[in-house]
Amino acid sequence: KKYSVFLPSLIHKCQGICGTVDFDKGNSSKDPYAGIGLYVVGEKTANSGVPAAGDASNWGGLCIAYASDLNAHVRVQLGDSLGYLEYPLESTQINNKNIKWSDFDLVLNNAAEKVNIEEAVKHVVSVNFYLKGISGSSANFTVYSIGGYRGNCADAVYFFN
């Protein structure tokens, strides 16, 4: 509800969720990054800001339609402090990319965890699209749709109909 006025006009303008990133690392020693994320389930309780985890195992993976000036990453954030799944995306004018869960890299917060990808995707909190850049540079991006893998993007959620 926070973005109920802003987001529809952005989606209409871009036929998706778009933006221009101006990278500035400030006082950080690391290269800057920026991105957007979408909760899979929502918040644990209304207005708590604490995301709830959901089981995405039946998705089979992700399909993402996007365009970006830079190489990007799709990151699937996991709940229960598990970590995340990550997959690199090439820069492109527009691309539909189908990614099986098994093609993602699993990064666990605790190396002692005995969790495989099949178990990890039962705890998905959000799907995030992000870019890394060099301080002083800029890049444009658009995310047109995100959906389950299932072999194609036919059932992906397009932000603009």
Side-chain angles (χ1 to χ4, degrees), residues 54-57 76 78 85 101 116-124:
D55 185 346
S57 57
V76 178
L78 306 172
L85 302 172
W101 287 136
N116 59 28
I117 288 179
E118 292 77 19
E119 181 59 30
V121 297
K122 294 179 182 177
H123 304 274
V124 173

Side-chain angles (χ1 to χ4, degrees), residues 99-154:
I99 314 157
K100 295 177 191 173
W101 287 136
S102 59
D103 292 334
F104 279 84
D105 291 327
L106 173 60
V107 179
L108 298 172
N109 289 336
N110 179 351
E113 285 279 353
K114 300 292 184 212
V115 176
N116 59 28
I117 288 179
E118 292 77 19
E119 181 59 30
V121 297
K122 294 179 182 177
H123 304 274
V124 173
V125 169
S126 63
V127 176
N128 307 286
F129 177 88
Y130 75 96
L131 305 166
K132 290 182 180 179
I134 305 291
S135 194
S137 68
S138 65
N140 297 303
F141 72 91
T142 304
V143 177
Y144 297 101
S145 70
I146 296 175
Y149 173 78
R150 295 187 189 92
N152 63 43
C153 289

Side-chain angles (χ1 to χ4, degrees), residues 42-108:
E43 295 178 346
K44 286 187 176 182
T45 58
N47 300 315
S48 70
V50 178
D55 185 346
S57 57
N58 68 342
W59 295 3
L62 288 179
C63 175
I64 183 168
Y66 71 97
S68 173
D69 292 343
L70 294 175
N71 290 342
H73 296 264
V74 61
R75 179 178 284 186
V76 178
Q77 196 66 45
L78 306 172
D80 303 322
S81 300
L82 283 175
Y84 57 89
L85 302 172
E86 189 164 89
Y87 188 89
L89 301 169
E90 293 180 6
S91 64
T92 183
Q93 287 299 84
I94 187 165
N95 190 16
N96 287 346
K97 184 69 178 175
N98 283 293
I99 314 157
K100 295 177 191 173
W101 287 136
S102 59
D103 292 334
F104 279 84
D105 291 327
L106 173 60
V107 179
L108 298 172

